[in-house]
Amino acid sequence: MESVVQDIEGMGQALMRMASVAEEYTPEMNELAGAQAPASARLALVGRFSKAVAEPAADFRSSSEAFSERMLVVESGMHALFDVVESLPEEERDEDTTHFLRQIIELAESTREGATHIADFGAVMETVVGYSRLLRAPGRDVAAAVRTVTSVVPRIESLERRAKALLVDSSSTPGVDPEASPTPLTQLTAS
């Protein structure tokens, strides 16, 4: 789980770096557009922007691929743990079981929310890529990362459905509060 969280953080950092590059170049782009600068000046600026955004776009893609690959391993482990929980009589399910199930639900919610923001960013980048062929390479990296991350969401939602079903089953367990708040995702690595 620590590695998954690191991959998610890596994607976030790459996105922030790309946003920072865009923020840095936007005033100059607006200035050139407003001044109706020659195409050569605009092309030179787009070229510099493309070079500046290429590395974080590649990092975004590699982090998303690592995230997807790690999630395959995590998924199989989670399903095995769910099988163990399902095999336990309800009266043997304790607070640790409930805590585990709530962490999975929270992971799914966080991933779904993050994937929404990533898809929105991908749509913006798609528009930007249309401005020049110089932006195609970083645009391809971003598009691939968006596809990779969004392809993981249904798999995580499958884990969420299983966790919720098991949580409902164990809600009648004595001493377990089904309404207790889940542990924040940031504490997954501490568990």
mmCIF file of all heavy atoms in Angstrom, residues 90-108:
data_model
loop_
_atom_site.group_PDB
_atom_site.id
_atom_site.type_symbol
_atom_site.label_atom_id
_atom_site.label_comp_id
_atom_site.label_asym_id
_atom_site.label_seq_id
_atom_site.Cartn_x
_atom_site.Cartn_y
_atom_site.Cartn_z
ATOM 1 N N GLU A 90 -19.633 -14.060 11.355
ATOM 2 C CA GLU A 90 -19.789 -12.638 11.668
ATOM 3 C C GLU A 90 -19.359 -12.295 13.089
ATOM 4 O O GLU A 90 -18.783 -11.236 13.322
ATOM 5 C CB GLU A 90 -21.232 -12.188 11.427
ATOM 6 C CG GLU A 90 -21.549 -12.053 9.957
ATOM 7 C CD GLU A 90 -22.918 -11.460 9.700
ATOM 8 O OE1 GLU A 90 -23.401 -10.653 10.512
ATOM 9 O OE2 GLU A 90 -23.500 -11.821 8.666
ATOM 10 N N GLU A 91 -19.606 -13.187 14.020
ATOM 11 C CA GLU A 91 -19.248 -12.885 15.410
ATOM 12 C C GLU A 91 -17.728 -12.852 15.630
ATOM 13 O O GLU A 91 -17.251 -12.326 16.625
ATOM 14 C CB GLU A 91 -19.920 -13.861 16.392
ATOM 15 C CG GLU A 91 -19.568 -15.317 16.206
ATOM 16 C CD GLU A 91 -20.414 -16.040 15.145
ATOM 17 O OE1 GLU A 91 -21.276 -15.412 14.518
ATOM 18 O OE2 GLU A 91 -20.181 -17.242 14.954
ATOM 19 N N GLU A 92 -16.953 -13.383 14.696
ATOM 20 C CA GLU A 92 -15.486 -13.366 14.816
ATOM 21 C C GLU A 92 -14.849 -12.159 14.111
ATOM 22 O O GLU A 92 -13.652 -11.958 14.207
ATOM 23 C CB GLU A 92 -14.891 -14.664 14.266
ATOM 24 C CG GLU A 92 -15.179 -15.862 15.143
ATOM 25 C CD GLU A 92 -14.521 -17.124 14.629
ATOM 26 O OE1 GLU A 92 -13.479 -17.027 13.943
ATOM 27 O OE2 GLU A 92 -15.058 -18.212 14.904
ATOM 28 N N ARG A 93 -15.650 -11.383 13.419
ATOM 29 C CA ARG A 93 -15.130 -10.189 12.758
ATOM 30 C C ARG A 93 -15.022 -9.074 13.800
ATOM 31 O O ARG A 93 -15.979 -8.770 14.495
ATOM 32 C CB ARG A 93 -16.042 -9.766 11.607
ATOM 33 C CG ARG A 93 -16.114 -10.826 10.524
ATOM 34 C CD ARG A 93 -17.008 -10.401 9.398
ATOM 35 N NE ARG A 93 -17.262 -11.534 8.518
ATOM 36 C CZ ARG A 93 -18.099 -11.504 7.512
ATOM 37 N NH1 ARG A 93 -18.770 -10.401 7.233
ATOM 38 N NH2 ARG A 93 -18.269 -12.565 6.761
ATOM 39 N N ASP A 94 -13.854 -8.468 13.887
ATOM 40 C CA ASP A 94 -13.613 -7.472 14.924
ATOM 41 C C ASP A 94 -13.398 -6.078 14.348
ATOM 42 O O ASP A 94 -13.617 -5.837 13.165
ATOM 43 C CB ASP A 94 -12.419 -7.901 15.784
ATOM 44 C CG ASP A 94 -11.135 -8.054 14.965
ATOM 45 O OD1 ASP A 94 -11.110 -7.656 13.772
ATOM 46 O OD2 ASP A 94 -10.153 -8.559 15.519
ATOM 47 N N GLU A 95 -12.955 -5.173 15.218
ATOM 48 C CA GLU A 95 -12.718 -3.783 14.799
ATOM 49 C C GLU A 95 -11.639 -3.684 13.732
ATOM 50 O O GLU A 95 -11.713 -2.822 12.856
ATOM 51 C CB GLU A 95 -12.330 -2.925 16.010
ATOM 52 C CG GLU A 95 -13.488 -2.626 16.928
ATOM 53 C CD GLU A 95 -13.075 -1.733 18.089
ATOM 54 O OE1 GLU A 95 -12.278 -0.800 17.868
ATOM 55 O OE2 GLU A 95 -13.561 -1.971 19.196
ATOM 56 N N ASP A 96 -10.623 -4.539 13.800
ATOM 57 C CA ASP A 96 -9.572 -4.524 12.785
ATOM 58 C C ASP A 96 -10.139 -4.853 11.403
ATOM 59 O O ASP A 96 -9.738 -4.259 10.400
ATOM 60 C CB ASP A 96 -8.451 -5.510 13.133
ATOM 61 C CG ASP A 96 -7.619 -5.050 14.320
ATOM 62 O OD1 ASP A 96 -7.610 -3.828 14.607
ATOM 63 O OD2 ASP A 96 -6.971 -5.904 14.948
ATOM 64 N N THR A 97 -11.074 -5.777 11.377
ATOM 65 C CA THR A 97 -11.713 -6.134 10.110
ATOM 66 C C THR A 97 -12.490 -4.945 9.565
ATOM 67 O O THR A 97 -12.374 -4.596 8.386
ATOM 68 C CB THR A 97 -12.672 -7.336 10.321
ATOM 69 O OG1 THR A 97 -11.933 -8.431 10.854
ATOM 70 C CG2 THR A 97 -13.334 -7.733 9.012
ATOM 71 N N THR A 98 -13.256 -4.307 10.431
ATOM 72 C CA THR A 98 -14.031 -3.132 10.022
ATOM 73 C C THR A 98 -13.099 -2.017 9.563
ATOM 74 O O THR A 98 -13.355 -1.367 8.538
ATOM 75 C CB THR A 98 -14.913 -2.649 11.184
ATOM 76 O OG1 THR A 98 -15.795 -3.712 11.549
ATOM 77 C CG2 THR A 98 -15.725 -1.423 10.793
ATOM 78 N N HIS A 99 -12.012 -1.821 10.271
ATOM 79 C CA HIS A 99 -11.026 -0.801 9.921
ATOM 80 C C HIS A 99 -10.454 -1.074 8.520
ATOM 81 O O HIS A 99 -10.354 -0.174 7.680
ATOM 82 C CB HIS A 99 -9.917 -0.788 10.981
ATOM 83 C CG HIS A 99 -8.816 0.167 10.699
ATOM 84 N ND1 HIS A 99 -8.954 1.527 10.842
ATOM 85 C CD2 HIS A 99 -7.547 -0.036 10.276
ATOM 86 C CE1 HIS A 99 -7.819 2.117 10.521
ATOM 87 N NE2 HIS A 99 -6.948 1.182 10.166
ATOM 88 N N PHE A 100 -10.072 -2.309 8.260
ATOM 89 C CA PHE A 100 -9.550 -2.715 6.961
ATOM 90 C C PHE A 100 -10.563 -2.429 5.848
ATOM 91 O O PHE A 100 -10.230 -1.841 4.817
ATOM 92 C CB PHE A 100 -9.176 -4.204 6.993
ATOM 93 C CG PHE A 100 -9.017 -4.826 5.639
ATOM 94 C CD1 PHE A 100 -7.928 -4.514 4.825
ATOM 95 C CD2 PHE A 100 -9.951 -5.738 5.163
ATOM 96 C CE1 PHE A 100 -7.787 -5.094 3.568
ATOM 97 C CE2 PHE A 100 -9.812 -6.322 3.917
ATOM 98 C CZ PHE A 100 -8.729 -5.996 3.117
ATOM 99 N N LEU A 101 -11.809 -2.824 6.069
ATOM 100 C CA LEU A 101 -12.840 -2.626 5.045
ATOM 101 C C LEU A 101 -13.070 -1.137 4.776
ATOM 102 O O LEU A 101 -13.216 -0.717 3.623
ATOM 103 C CB LEU A 101 -14.145 -3.300 5.483
ATOM 104 C CG LEU A 101 -14.079 -4.830 5.616
ATOM 105 C CD1 LEU A 101 -15.361 -5.363 6.239
ATOM 106 C CD2 LEU A 101 -13.789 -5.485 4.275
ATOM 107 N N ARG A 102 -13.059 -0.336 5.812
ATOM 108 C CA ARG A 102 -13.238 1.113 5.637
ATOM 109 C C ARG A 102 -12.054 1.738 4.897
ATOM 110 O O ARG A 102 -12.235 2.667 4.120
ATOM 111 C CB ARG A 102 -13.447 1.786 6.984
ATOM 112 C CG ARG A 102 -14.789 1.460 7.606
ATOM 113 C CD ARG A 102 -15.030 2.251 8.881
ATOM 114 N NE ARG A 102 -16.243 1.831 9.535
ATOM 115 C CZ ARG A 102 -17.479 2.149 9.137
ATOM 116 N NH1 ARG A 102 -17.653 2.886 8.086
ATOM 117 N NH2 ARG A 102 -18.530 1.713 9.809
ATOM 118 N N GLN A 103 -10.853 1.232 5.116
ATOM 119 C CA GLN A 103 -9.690 1.742 4.389
ATOM 120 C C GLN A 103 -9.826 1.478 2.896
ATOM 121 O O GLN A 103 -9.490 2.334 2.073
ATOM 122 C CB GLN A 103 -8.394 1.107 4.900
ATOM 123 C CG GLN A 103 -7.927 1.668 6.223
ATOM 124 C CD GLN A 103 -6.610 1.044 6.648
ATOM 125 O OE1 GLN A 103 -6.391 -0.150 6.487
ATOM 126 N NE2 GLN A 103 -5.735 1.869 7.190
ATOM 127 N N ILE A 104 -10.321 0.320 2.537
ATOM 128 C CA ILE A 104 -10.498 -0.022 1.124
ATOM 129 C C ILE A 104 -11.547 0.890 0.500
ATOM 130 O O ILE A 104 -11.379 1.384 -0.613
ATOM 131 C CB ILE A 104 -10.897 -1.511 0.961
ATOM 132 C CG1 ILE A 104 -9.814 -2.417 1.534
ATOM 133 C CG2 ILE A 104 -11.182 -1.831 -0.501
ATOM 134 C CD1 ILE A 104 -8.414 -2.150 1.019
ATOM 135 N N ILE A 105 -12.628 1.131 1.223
ATOM 136 C CA ILE A 105 -13.674 2.024 0.725
ATOM 137 C C ILE A 105 -13.111 3.426 0.527
ATOM 138 O O ILE A 105 -13.359 4.075 -0.494
ATOM 139 C CB ILE A 105 -14.894 2.019 1.687
ATOM 140 C CG1 ILE A 105 -15.569 0.646 1.658
ATOM 141 C CG2 ILE A 105 -15.875 3.133 1.322
ATOM 142 C CD1 ILE A 105 -16.553 0.403 2.782
ATOM 143 N N GLU A 106 -12.323 3.889 1.478
ATOM 144 C CA GLU A 106 -11.729 5.226 1.358
ATOM 145 C C GLU A 106 -10.731 5.291 0.204
ATOM 146 O O GLU A 106 -10.678 6.284 -0.517
ATOM 147 C CB GLU A 106 -11.055 5.634 2.661
ATOM 148 C CG GLU A 106 -10.571 7.077 2.590
ATOM 149 C CD GLU A 106 -10.070 7.578 3.915
ATOM 150 O OE1 GLU A 106 -10.688 7.273 4.944
ATOM 151 O OE2 GLU A 106 -9.057 8.288 3.893
ATOM 152 N N LEU A 107 -9.959 4.245 0.015
ATOM 153 C CA LEU A 107 -9.023 4.197 -1.113
ATOM 154 C C LEU A 107 -9.789 4.333 -2.427
ATOM 155 O O LEU A 107 -9.380 5.078 -3.321
ATOM 156 C CB LEU A 107 -8.224 2.892 -1.095
ATOM 157 C CG LEU A 107 -7.340 2.637 -2.319
ATOM 158 C CD1 LEU A 107 -6.212 3.651 -2.396
ATOM 159 C CD2 LEU A 107 -6.789 1.208 -2.278
ATOM 160 N N ALA A 108 -10.892 3.633 -2.530
ATOM 161 C CA ALA A 108 -11.701 3.699 -3.750
ATOM 162 C C ALA A 108 -12.259 5.103 -3.963
ATOM 163 O O ALA A 108 -12.227 5.631 -5.085
ATOM 164 C CB ALA A 108 -12.845 2.682 -3.680
#
